[in-house]
Amino acid sequence: MNLLKRKRAFTEWIWSFLLLFLCIGIILRPERAASGVSQGLLLCTETLIPALFPFMILSSLFLESRFANLFFFLNPFLKLLHIHSRKAGAALACGILSGFAPGAKAVDSLYRSGELTRCEAERMLVCCVGISPGFILNGVGVMMLKNINGGWLLFLSQLGAQAICGAAAAFWMHPRHPHSARSIDSQTHPKAAARQNKPSPTALFCESVQSSIRAILMLCGTVTFFSFLTHMLTPANASPFIRYLASVFLEVTSACRAACETNAPYRSTLCCAALSLMGSCIFLQVRSLVSPSISLRPLVLSRILHLPCSLVLFRVLAKCFPHALTANVHVYAKPLIAIRMPADVLFFLFLLCALACGLFPAQNRLRSHAKDV
C-alpha cells in the first residue's frame, strides 16, 4: 500500500513539474508556443478534419447497415483472434482502410452495442489501431519521402506487424470461458438491448454526426496540444535528428517530418519506427474514443513487439524490391488534399455544420423520440 502511494505521489510530482515547466516556457518563449499551436491548428484544418471526419460518420453508419457482413473473407483471421461477431470484419476494415480514429470508434460502437466483450474489444484494438494508409502513402511517401514506392513498403510493413501483434494478443489473452464472459459483459453493457430496438435511419444519422463531431473536436484539441508540447520541448535551432528524438514518443507527424529532413540513407527506417510507435498523442486520442472500461494496456504493450516486426518486415520488403527506395524516384501520385481552403473559412463552415446538426440539443431530441416510440 505504501509503495502504491509513493508511486502515485511520484507521478503527481512529475506531472506538476511538467506543468510548471510549460507555464514558464510560455512566458519565456511565447513565439515558440504560438508557433506550435499554429502548426497544430493548421494540421487540423488542412489534414485531420477533411481526412477523418467523413470516414468517422460513414464507418458508424456502415456498421449499422446490412453490408457490414460483406467482409466475411476476414473471418479466418478473426477466428484466430477468437472473435465471433459478424460485424467485426467491418470494424477491422475500417481500421485498416481509415486509420486509428475510425477503427477505434468502430470497435467502441460494437462494444457498446454488445457485439464484442471487453477482452475481444481490447484484442480488436491491437489490430485496428494504426496509421491510416492515406497518411502513410500520401503524407509520408509522397509529401515527405518524395517516393510513393517507399510509402507502400511502409504501409505493408505496418499492416503485417499489426497482424502479428493481433495473433500474439489472441494467444496471450485467450479467455478460458468465452461464453460465460460474453454473458457477463452483456449484462453490464448499458446499450446491450439497443440491437433489439434499432433506431430509424434519420435518428441513426443524427447520432452518428453528433458523436463524430465530439470525437473530431477531441482529436483536434489533442493534436494541437501535442504540437505545442513538441515545440516547447525542442530547441529552436535543433538538428533534425534531435527533433526526431524529441518528438518520436509524442507525435508521429513531427517525427516523420524531422526524419525526412535528415537526408540520411536510413530516413525511411526512422519513419518506419515513428509510425510503429505512433506517439502518445495517438494513444490519448484512442483513449478519448473508446469506453473507459476498455483497457489500452494490450495496445500499448503490443507496440513492443510491433516495432521490431515492422522494422524487419520493412527491411525484407526493401530487399525484395531494391529499387523501391531509390532516391529521386518520380512520383505519380497526387496529394489527397489538392485544394486548400482558408483556415478561417473552413473553421466557420465546420462550426455551422456543428450548429446545424444540433451538437447539444440532438441528444435530448433523440431521447424524446425514443420515449415516444
Short mmCIF file of all heavy atoms in Angstrom, two decimals, residues 29-57:
data_model
loop_
_atom_site.label_atom_id
_atom_site.label_comp_id
_atom_site.label_asym_id
_atom_site.label_seq_id
_atom_site.Cartn_x
_atom_site.Cartn_y
_atom_site.Cartn_z
N ARG A 29 9.17 31.91 -23.73
CA ARG A 29 9.25 31.68 -25.17
C ARG A 29 7.85 31.72 -25.80
O ARG A 29 7.32 30.72 -26.28
CB ARG A 29 9.90 30.32 -25.45
CG ARG A 29 11.26 30.14 -24.81
CD ARG A 29 11.72 28.71 -24.91
NE ARG A 29 11.93 28.30 -26.30
CZ ARG A 29 12.11 27.04 -26.68
NH1 ARG A 29 12.10 26.06 -25.77
NH2 ARG A 29 12.30 26.73 -27.94
N PRO A 30 7.21 32.87 -25.78
CA PRO A 30 5.84 32.94 -26.31
C PRO A 30 5.78 32.68 -27.82
O PRO A 30 4.80 32.13 -28.31
CB PRO A 30 5.40 34.36 -25.97
CG PRO A 30 6.66 35.13 -25.83
CD PRO A 30 7.67 34.18 -25.29
N GLU A 31 6.83 33.09 -28.55
CA GLU A 31 6.79 32.87 -30.00
C GLU A 31 6.88 31.38 -30.34
O GLU A 31 6.26 30.90 -31.30
CB GLU A 31 7.93 33.63 -30.68
CG GLU A 31 9.34 33.11 -30.42
CD GLU A 31 9.87 33.44 -29.04
OE1 GLU A 31 9.24 34.27 -28.36
OE2 GLU A 31 10.90 32.87 -28.64
N ARG A 32 7.63 30.61 -29.54
CA ARG A 32 7.74 29.18 -29.77
C ARG A 32 6.42 28.48 -29.46
O ARG A 32 6.00 27.56 -30.19
CB ARG A 32 8.86 28.61 -28.89
CG ARG A 32 9.27 27.19 -29.20
CD ARG A 32 9.93 27.07 -30.54
NE ARG A 32 10.36 25.71 -30.82
CZ ARG A 32 10.74 25.29 -32.00
NH1 ARG A 32 10.74 26.12 -33.03
NH2 ARG A 32 11.14 24.03 -32.18
N ALA A 33 5.76 28.89 -28.38
CA ALA A 33 4.46 28.31 -28.04
C ALA A 33 3.41 28.64 -29.10
O ALA A 33 2.62 27.77 -29.50
CB ALA A 33 4.01 28.83 -26.67
N ALA A 34 3.41 29.89 -29.58
CA ALA A 34 2.45 30.28 -30.62
C ALA A 34 2.70 29.52 -31.91
O ALA A 34 1.76 29.15 -32.62
CB ALA A 34 2.52 31.78 -30.85
N SER A 35 3.97 29.27 -32.23
CA SER A 35 4.29 28.52 -33.44
C SER A 35 3.78 27.09 -33.36
O SER A 35 3.26 26.55 -34.35
CB SER A 35 5.81 28.54 -33.67
OG SER A 35 6.16 27.73 -34.77
N GLY A 36 3.92 26.46 -32.19
CA GLY A 36 3.42 25.11 -32.04
C GLY A 36 1.90 25.02 -32.15
O GLY A 36 1.37 24.11 -32.81
N VAL A 37 1.21 25.96 -31.54
CA VAL A 37 -0.25 25.96 -31.63
C VAL A 37 -0.71 26.23 -33.05
O VAL A 37 -1.65 25.59 -33.56
CB VAL A 37 -0.83 27.00 -30.64
CG1 VAL A 37 -2.34 27.12 -30.83
CG2 VAL A 37 -0.52 26.59 -29.21
N SER A 38 -0.06 27.16 -33.74
CA SER A 38 -0.44 27.48 -35.12
C SER A 38 -0.22 26.29 -36.04
O SER A 38 -1.07 25.99 -36.89
CB SER A 38 0.38 28.68 -35.61
OG SER A 38 0.15 29.82 -34.82
N GLN A 39 0.88 25.58 -35.85
CA GLN A 39 1.13 24.40 -36.68
C GLN A 39 0.14 23.30 -36.39
O GLN A 39 -0.30 22.58 -37.30
CB GLN A 39 2.56 23.91 -36.46
CG GLN A 39 2.97 22.78 -37.39
CD GLN A 39 4.43 22.42 -37.27
OE1 GLN A 39 5.22 23.17 -36.69
NE2 GLN A 39 4.81 21.28 -37.82
N GLY A 40 -0.26 23.13 -35.12
CA GLY A 40 -1.26 22.12 -34.79
C GLY A 40 -2.62 22.45 -35.38
O GLY A 40 -3.31 21.56 -35.92
N LEU A 41 -3.03 23.71 -35.31
CA LEU A 41 -4.31 24.11 -35.90
C LEU A 41 -4.28 23.97 -37.42
O LEU A 41 -5.29 23.59 -38.03
CB LEU A 41 -4.62 25.56 -35.52
CG LEU A 41 -4.95 25.81 -34.04
CD1 LEU A 41 -5.13 27.30 -33.78
CD2 LEU A 41 -6.20 25.05 -33.62
N LEU A 42 -3.13 24.27 -38.03
CA LEU A 42 -3.02 24.11 -39.47
C LEU A 42 -3.13 22.65 -39.87
O LEU A 42 -3.77 22.31 -40.88
CB LEU A 42 -1.68 24.68 -39.94
CG LEU A 42 -1.48 24.83 -41.45
CD1 LEU A 42 -2.47 25.84 -42.02
CD2 LEU A 42 -0.05 25.25 -41.77
N LEU A 43 -2.54 21.76 -39.07
CA LEU A 43 -2.65 20.34 -39.34
C LEU A 43 -4.10 19.85 -39.21
O LEU A 43 -4.56 19.02 -39.99
CB LEU A 43 -1.74 19.56 -38.39
CG LEU A 43 -1.75 18.04 -38.50
CD1 LEU A 43 -1.23 17.60 -39.86
CD2 LEU A 43 -0.91 17.42 -37.39
N CYS A 44 -4.83 20.42 -38.25
CA CYS A 44 -6.23 20.02 -38.07
C CYS A 44 -7.10 20.48 -39.22
O CYS A 44 -7.93 19.72 -39.74
CB CYS A 44 -6.75 20.59 -36.75
SG CYS A 44 -5.99 19.88 -35.28
N THR A 45 -6.92 21.74 -39.64
CA THR A 45 -7.80 22.30 -40.68
C THR A 45 -7.48 21.77 -42.07
O THR A 45 -8.38 21.65 -42.91
CB THR A 45 -7.70 23.82 -40.69
OG1 THR A 45 -6.31 24.22 -40.84
CG2 THR A 45 -8.23 24.41 -39.40
N GLU A 46 -6.21 21.45 -42.33
CA GLU A 46 -5.83 21.03 -43.67
C GLU A 46 -5.81 19.52 -43.85
O GLU A 46 -5.90 19.04 -44.98
CB GLU A 46 -4.45 21.59 -44.03
CG GLU A 46 -4.42 23.09 -44.19
CD GLU A 46 -3.08 23.59 -44.70
OE1 GLU A 46 -2.14 22.77 -44.76
OE2 GLU A 46 -2.98 24.77 -45.04
N THR A 47 -5.64 18.76 -42.77
CA THR A 47 -5.48 17.31 -42.91
C THR A 47 -6.47 16.53 -42.06
O THR A 47 -7.18 15.65 -42.55
CB THR A 47 -4.04 16.90 -42.53
OG1 THR A 47 -3.12 17.63 -43.34
CG2 THR A 47 -3.83 15.41 -42.75
N LEU A 48 -6.54 16.83 -40.76
CA LEU A 48 -7.28 15.99 -39.84
C LEU A 48 -8.78 16.01 -40.12
O LEU A 48 -9.40 14.96 -40.30
CB LEU A 48 -7.00 16.41 -38.40
CG LEU A 48 -7.54 15.51 -37.30
CD1 LEU A 48 -6.88 14.14 -37.37
CD2 LEU A 48 -7.32 16.12 -35.93
N ILE A 49 -9.38 17.21 -40.15
CA ILE A 49 -10.83 17.30 -40.35
C ILE A 49 -11.24 16.82 -41.74
O ILE A 49 -12.18 16.01 -41.86
CB ILE A 49 -11.30 18.75 -40.09
CG1 ILE A 49 -11.07 19.12 -38.62
CG2 ILE A 49 -12.78 18.90 -40.44
CD1 ILE A 49 -11.43 20.55 -38.29
N PRO A 50 -10.60 17.27 -42.83
CA PRO A 50 -11.03 16.77 -44.15
C PRO A 50 -10.83 15.27 -44.33
O PRO A 50 -11.61 14.62 -45.04
CB PRO A 50 -10.16 17.57 -45.14
CG PRO A 50 -9.70 18.75 -44.39
CD PRO A 50 -9.55 18.30 -42.97
N ALA A 51 -9.80 14.69 -43.71
CA ALA A 51 -9.49 13.28 -43.95
C ALA A 51 -10.28 12.35 -43.03
O ALA A 51 -10.68 11.26 -43.47
CB ALA A 51 -7.99 13.04 -43.77
N LEU A 52 -10.49 12.73 -41.78
CA LEU A 52 -11.08 11.80 -40.81
C LEU A 52 -12.57 11.99 -40.61
O LEU A 52 -13.28 11.01 -40.37
CB LEU A 52 -10.36 11.95 -39.46
CG LEU A 52 -8.94 11.43 -39.37
CD1 LEU A 52 -8.41 11.58 -37.95
CD2 LEU A 52 -8.86 9.98 -39.80
N PHE A 53 -13.06 13.22 -40.66
CA PHE A 53 -14.45 13.47 -40.30
C PHE A 53 -15.45 12.70 -41.18
O PHE A 53 -16.37 12.06 -40.65
CB PHE A 53 -14.74 14.97 -40.35
CG PHE A 53 -16.12 15.34 -39.88
CD1 PHE A 53 -16.51 15.10 -38.57
CD2 PHE A 53 -17.04 15.91 -40.75
CE1 PHE A 53 -17.79 15.43 -38.13
CE2 PHE A 53 -18.30 16.24 -40.32
CZ PHE A 53 -18.68 16.00 -39.01
N PRO A 54 -15.31 12.69 -42.52
CA PRO A 54 -16.27 11.89 -43.31
C PRO A 54 -16.17 10.40 -43.03
O PRO A 54 -17.20 9.71 -42.98
CB PRO A 54 -15.88 12.22 -44.76
CG PRO A 54 -15.05 13.44 -44.70
CD PRO A 54 -14.36 13.42 -43.38
N PHE A 55 -14.94 9.89 -42.83
CA PHE A 55 -14.77 8.46 -42.58
C PHE A 55 -15.39 8.06 -41.25
O PHE A 55 -15.91 6.94 -41.12
CB PHE A 55 -13.29 8.09 -42.61
CG PHE A 55 -12.73 7.98 -44.00
CD1 PHE A 55 -11.92 8.96 -44.51
CD2 PHE A 55 -13.04 6.89 -44.78
CE1 PHE A 55 -11.40 8.85 -45.80
CE2 PHE A 55 -12.53 6.76 -46.07
CZ PHE A 55 -11.71 7.76 -46.57
N MET A 56 -15.33 8.92 -40.25
CA MET A 56 -15.90 8.59 -38.95
C MET A 56 -17.42 8.47 -39.03
O MET A 56 -18.02 7.58 -38.42
CB MET A 56 -15.47 9.62 -37.91
CG MET A 56 -13.98 9.67 -37.67
SD MET A 56 -13.49 10.84 -36.40
CE MET A 56 -14.03 9.98 -34.94
N ILE A 57 -18.06 9.35 -39.78
CA ILE A 57 -19.51 9.27 -39.94
C ILE A 57 -19.89 8.03 -40.75
O ILE A 57 -20.78 7.26 -40.38
CB ILE A 57 -20.05 10.54 -40.62
CG1 ILE A 57 -19.81 11.77 -39.74
CG2 ILE A 57 -21.54 10.40 -40.92
CD1 ILE A 57 -20.29 13.06 -40.35
#
